[in-house]
Amino acid sequence: MPQRLVLTGRSQEPRARFAEELRRLRTERGHSLRDLAKEVGWDASQFSKMESGQTLGGPEIVQALDQFYRTPGLLVTLWELAMADPTQFKEQYRRYMILEAEATSLWHYGVSRPPGLLQTEAYAREALMAGGLRGKELEQQVEARTGRRELLEGSEAPTFRSILSEAVLRTPLPNRGEWREQLEHLVEASERPNVTLQVLPFSTSFHGLASTDLMFLRLLDTRSVAYAENDVHGELISEPSRVERYQRTYDAVRDTALPPADSRKFILRMVEEVTCEAST
């Protein structure tokens, strides 16, 4: 009779498991956080936050730790699993995040904010703070949101179209430098081959999405689902007839938005305005 496998007793939750492995590797080698900082080159407080689960860190620091501990690929793999884990998001968004990660193409319309996939860290922090988040939860959600940007990178990244109401570009961050960084990030994103960015100017007449943020996802099985959200409610929509109605409304908005080249020029003018304001 085969012996039963003995479980490790370690966490099966990706974020917690990553933090556990970091602590285990360091303590097994007898290093303090200060020792690790001297050897690897990052601040000891950064390693402390990673080992406590407050942050996952970036790919550079994780690769450096893999090299230092001589665990080729182990920590990077655990980090990738933690970054992709939908449980890091609030419960009401988890199903959507799973589908977003599987999508082959995405279409977005934004009423007052750029999509999470195109937000800088500073913008994400301000937006989440406006929603009432603070402390450890805030930092975890900022990291979760900015980590989603990797979805649009790489040779197999899905195609992504975002239509931004002009209100998005007229609602700045309190810090002018951070706001300029966000606008510049939108310009840079629009230059990627898989990203199309359009601006819907104020001069456009009333339309069916005037108060609704919307995202469409085309899935591997060719189905499309939609996620509609306003100030008080968000809904994942899979019923084909409803998705189709939203799609027709979205197409009408897309047809009245500025073309991609003109949209890029529009955002560049906004960058110049912020730069001029900052220098006066």
Side-chain angles (χ1 to χ4, degrees):
M1 183 176 179
Q3 292 183 340
R4 295 180 62 184
L5 294 176
V6 179
L7 298 177
T8 64
R10 297 174 187 158
S11 176
Q12 301 302 301
E13 190 272 313
R15 189 183 187 104
R17 181 59 176 271
F18 177 64
E20 288 177 3
E21 287 299 316
L22 292 177
R23 292 194 300 271
R24 181 185 67 81
L25 288 168
R26 180 177 58 80
T27 56
E28 282 184 353
R29 287 159 177 75
H31 293 303
S32 67
L33 290 169
R34 187 169 297 179
D35 294 334
L36 191 60
K38 290 179 181 178
E39 294 289 342
V40 183
W42 273 265
D43 191 86
S45 63
Q46 175 71 8
F47 295 117
S48 177
K49 290 178 181 178
M50 292 172 69
E51 290 187 11
S52 66
Q54 294 182 52
T55 181
L56 293 174
E60 296 84 2
I61 190 172
V62 178
Q63 289 171 348
L65 288 169
D66 250 339
Q67 183 176 359
F68 175 71
Y69 289 130
R70 297 182 182 179
T71 54
L74 171 64
L75 293 178
V76 169
T77 298
L78 291 175
W79 177 82
E80 290 176 340
L81 291 172
M83 289 293 289
D85 179 24
T87 63
Q88 66 184 306
F89 299 100
K90 289 188 173 182
E91 187 173 357
Q92 65 264 36
Y93 300 124
R94 290 176 186 172
R95 178 57 181 162
Y96 168 81
M97 294 303 171
I98 292 172
L99 295 176
E100 182 184 80
E102 299 172 351
T104 59
S105 55
L106 309 92
W107 304 272
H108 165 264
Y109 173 72
V111 174
S112 60
R113 293 176 180 173
L117 290 168
L118 297 182
Q119 290 180 11
T120 62
E121 181 177 335
Y123 193 102
R125 179 170 284 103
E126 285 290 339
L128 290 165
M129 286 178 63
L133 295 188
R134 296 292 186 274
K136 181 178 178 180
E137 184 182 11
L138 171 64
E139 295 307 314
Q140 289 183 348
Q141 291 302 308
V142 168
E143 192 166 58
R145 180 171 295 188
T146 55
R148 291 166 57 203
R149 294 182 301 190
E150 293 191 2
L151 180 70
L152 300 180
E153 301 173 0
S155 59
E156 298 183 359
T159 57
F160 179 57
R161 177 187 295 273
S162 180
I163 304 172
L164 302 178
S165 166
E166 185 175 339
V168 174
L169 308 174
R170 299 289 184 185
T171 309
L173 294 173
N175 183 293
R176 306 302 288 180
E178 292 176 347
W179 178 234
R180 184 171 61 249
E181 179 186 355
Q182 174 62 70
L183 292 173
E184 291 172 342
H185 182 66
L186 291 176
V187 174
E188 292 168 3
S190 72
E191 296 171 346
R192 299 180 189 174
N194 62 313
V195 176
T196 301
L197 196 61
Q198 292 182 261
V199 174
L200 187 71
F202 284 145
S203 57
T204 304
S205 60
F206 287 105
H207 58 85
L209 298 178
S211 62
T212 303
D213 283 289
L214 190 65
M215 180 75 88
F216 290 98
L217 307 176
R218 176 65 60 83
L219 306 178
L220 287 171
D221 60 7
T222 72
R223 286 185 304 124
S224 290
V225 298
Y227 185 80
E229 185 174 35
N230 56 33
D231 288 339
V232 296
H233 177 67
E235 180 183 10
L236 185 64
I237 302 164
S238 58
E239 182 184 343
S241 61
R242 292 186 65 196
V243 173
E244 176 64 24
R245 285 198 299 272
Y246 270 118
Q247 183 71 66
R248 289 197 297 268
T249 304
Y250 182 88
D251 289 347
V253 172
R254 180 200 61 204
D255 291 344
T256 57
L258 296 176
D262 292 340
S263 295
R264 185 172 183 274
K265 292 177 183 177
F266 189 103
I267 301 173
L268 284 170
R269 287 197 299 271
M270 298 292 298
V271 173
E272 292 175 0
E273 289 179 15
V274 175
T275 302
C276 291
E277 290 173 3
S279 62
T280 57

